[in-house]
Amino acid sequence: MIRLLAPLGLCSLALFAPLPAQAAACGNDGAGFAAWKSAFAAEAARAGVGQPGLRALAGAQYASRTIAADRNQKSFRYTLEKFMQVRGAETIIAQGRKRKARDAAFYDALERQYGVPAGVLIAIHGMETGFGGFMGDSAVVSAITTLAYDCRRSDFFIPHAIGALKLVDRGTITADTRGAKHGELGHTQFLPGNALTYGVDANGDGRVDLYNLADALASTANFLRQKGWQPGAGYQEGEPNFRVIQQWNAAGVYQKAIAIMAARIDRP
């Protein structure tokens, strides 16, 4: 039986406290990555990262595939219609309706605890990993530290790099854990800082495992609720909960696609 428990790690909001002024210097290619890691290790230690996390940082490799992917996110520039076609929206909706019917008790329990309807969680699950069909083949620690080092969005990714190293400390992930090219984890592709803060042990085994379906979907529901989800309120564009979907992914076409697919999955 699935047990929906209180989230682990909600005290980790200190993760996002400002880092010291002497930050490691970013770069635009792999040439300075080793030097950056050495400097960043001191910042990570000051932020509370322990020896397991620091060893993972020392072993991280510059992730060229991650940088290539970050520079070439073409699908988010599509029209909504084209984006939904490319991302297989009709398949996600059809499979999602079957999943909701098959596991109704599980999704009902999530909605009772967090207020988030099944369709929203299922649409995110389908969009992110094809319902767990592919959760990534990139080394998470290497990917997220590469993005923290890269000058393009360093400020955004540094807290998630710290988060990943703290997850290593906890034993939640290892230096070899695989995820998406931007370091996202598990069934719904949590960025590591968010996994640390919003992760939920839903199956009661004493650990948060985002590669476990129950933990991943409960964590996703918890993220949305903590970001301001209003139980019972609408989630289409212009409705109260659409702004919460916007917290999950910054791309407008993604947000609209999730809302549309979720409504069709939730339709009686």
Side-chain angles (χ1 to χ4, degrees), residues 45-256:
R46 287 192 293 269
V49 174
Q51 287 303 310
L54 294 175
R55 285 194 294 271
L57 172 62
Q61 302 294 313
Y62 184 77
S64 299
R65 291 196 308 151
T66 288
I67 295 301
D70 193 55
R71 302 284 191 271
N72 190 36
Q73 300 186 63
K74 290 182 179 178
S75 66
F76 293 126
R77 297 194 289 270
Y78 291 150
T79 64
L80 176 60
E81 181 180 14
K82 178 67 172 178
F83 179 80
M84 292 184 70
Q85 178 186 3
V86 168
R87 298 297 284 266
E90 292 301 323
T91 299
I92 291 171
I93 292 164
Q95 292 187 13
R97 289 179 64 85
K98 292 177 183 178
R99 284 173 172 269
K100 180 181 178 181
R102 185 186 67 203
D103 299 317
F106 171 64
Y107 290 108
D108 287 347
L110 286 174
E111 185 166 7
R112 282 195 302 273
Q113 182 153 354
Y114 298 104
V116 181
V120 174
L121 301 176
I122 293 170
I124 290 173
H125 190 201
M127 178 78 82
E128 293 289 356
T129 63
F131 303 112
F134 181 68
M135 291 186 271
D137 59 4
S138 297
V140 168
V141 172
S142 290
I144 203 70
T145 53
T146 295
L147 290 166
Y149 159 72
D150 187 65
C151 290
R152 181 167 178 257
R153 291 192 287 167
S154 182
D155 288 345
F156 176 81
F157 283 107
I158 282 174
H160 294 295
I162 296 290
L165 301 180
K166 288 186 175 183
L167 291 175
V168 173
D169 284 340
R170 291 185 177 189
T172 302
I173 64 173
T174 73
D176 297 321
T177 296
R178 302 284 152 166
K181 287 187 175 65
H182 284 72
E184 304 98 330
L185 297 159
H187 280 273
T188 57
Q189 303 285 269
F190 264 83
L191 283 167
N194 292 336
L196 185 71
T197 303
Y198 302 103
V200 172
D201 172 21
N203 63 4
D205 67 356
R207 61 189 296 266
V208 174
D209 178 8
L210 296 174
Y211 296 86
N212 170 273
L213 181 60
D215 286 8
L217 292 185
S219 298
T220 305
N222 182 53
F223 174 95
L224 295 171
R225 183 61 184 270
Q226 296 295 329
K227 291 294 186 179
W229 191 274
Q230 300 177 33
Y235 54 77
Q236 296 303 303
E237 189 173 12
E239 295 180 325
N241 286 324
F242 186 76
R243 67 176 182 82
V244 185
I245 294 175
Q246 291 176 312
Q247 300 296 308
W248 183 264
N249 189 294
V253 288
Y254 182 104
Q255 299 156 4
K256 294 172 186 176

Side-chain angles (χ1 to χ4, degrees), residues 19-35:
L19 291 170
Q22 297 79 19
C26 67
N28 294 307
D29 57 38
F33 188 56

